[in-house]
Amino acid sequence: MDPLEAERLHADIEYGLRLDKAEAHEALGRRMSPGEHGRVLFLQAAAGHWMLRHEHERARALLSSIQDEPSEGVIATRAVQLELAFATDDPAWADDLLQRLLDDFRSGLLTTSTCLFVGELLLANGRLRQAQRWLTLPLSRLDPDEDLDGVEEMCVETRAQVRRQLGLPHDRYDALAAQLEAGYGPDF
């Protein structure tokens, strides 16, 4: 499917006033062949809606069917699976997914948004040391001569919050987080 058409259809379902978002996304995704653009986008969206409805097995089956296909959004499928692993209280699956995600990161397959998403999931689930690691990973790829984008800023700021909770000493990224926070002004 044409990428623009896939995005349009996704937005129509996602932002439309309808109660069947999971079913609609899933129906579109299932009509597509593995590897066809849009398939991962629709099936991952459907899984997210199934998770919201606490239909975890249905979400898990969908995510498993696309876990090895290239991501089509800013959040990798394995990261959504990690969200499901935490929602279903499956620490063994979560640990396995974290290792696979780390392998994907090392292979250059993850976005900064995925690293932030994973870091925030870990933080929300009390895994502070792991959260700090995931929020630090994308910072290793930064070009010191370029300004940070919004997601990179969020990584720096969330990482600083985690480090404060861990009682770790201030480092250069914490100093950068303080600069960013100071720039927001009193009305933020």
Side-chain angles (χ1 to χ4, degrees):
M1 176 179 288
D2 173 70
L4 291 176
E5 179 67 5
E7 289 294 328
R8 186 191 66 72
L9 288 170
H10 177 269
D12 286 351
I13 296 168
E14 201 61 25
Y15 304 114
L17 297 175
R18 55 189 307 164
L19 298 176
D20 68 337
K21 291 178 183 184
E23 293 87 351
H25 282 304
E26 186 171 346
L28 277 170
R30 288 201 180 277
R31 285 197 303 257
M32 299 175 159
S33 303
E36 185 177 348
H37 186 83
R39 180 174 188 268
V40 170
L41 176 71
F42 292 117
L43 294 179
Q44 188 173 326
H49 286 287
W50 291 126
M51 285 171 33
L52 289 171
R53 289 158 66 173
H54 300 284
E55 295 201 33
H56 295 135
E57 287 307 312
R58 195 158 183 182
R60 188 171 182 157
L62 281 179
L63 293 169
S64 292
S65 73
I66 58 172
Q67 70 184 1
D68 294 320
E69 292 185 44
S71 293
E72 293 180 355
V74 294
I75 306 297
T77 301
R78 285 193 224 290
V80 179
Q81 287 177 302
L82 181 63
E83 181 180 22
L84 182 57
F86 284 128
T88 58
D89 195 27
D90 190 338
W93 188 31
D95 290 340
D96 179 60
L97 287 165
L98 284 166
Q99 184 57 54
R100 289 172 180 233
L101 283 160
L102 184 58
D103 293 343
D104 290 346
F105 176 83
R106 289 178 176 151
S107 298
L109 301 174
L110 298 185
T111 63
T112 301
S113 294
T114 293
C115 293
L116 176 62
F117 184 82
V118 170
E120 288 177 337
L121 280 174
L122 291 163
L123 173 60
N125 286 279
R127 294 184 176 202
L128 298 181
R129 291 220 177 265
Q130 289 176 305
Q132 188 225 335
R133 179 181 193 188
W134 276 93
L135 295 163
T136 302
L137 285 172
L139 303 180
S140 66
R141 301 188 295 203
L142 293 180
D143 181 342
D145 296 326
E146 292 189 21
D147 290 337
L148 300 180
D149 66 27
V151 177
E152 292 164 343
E153 287 181 4
M154 290 169 58
C155 278
V156 168
E157 292 167 341
T158 306
R159 179 184 178 275
Q161 293 169 7
V162 170
R163 289 176 56 79
R164 281 192 296 272
Q165 289 180 43
L166 288 169
L168 296 174
H170 208 66
D171 70 6
R172 66 185 175 120
Y173 293 120
D174 296 332
L176 179 56
Q179 280 182 306
L180 291 169
E181 290 168 7
Y184 294 141
D187 296 331
F188 188 72

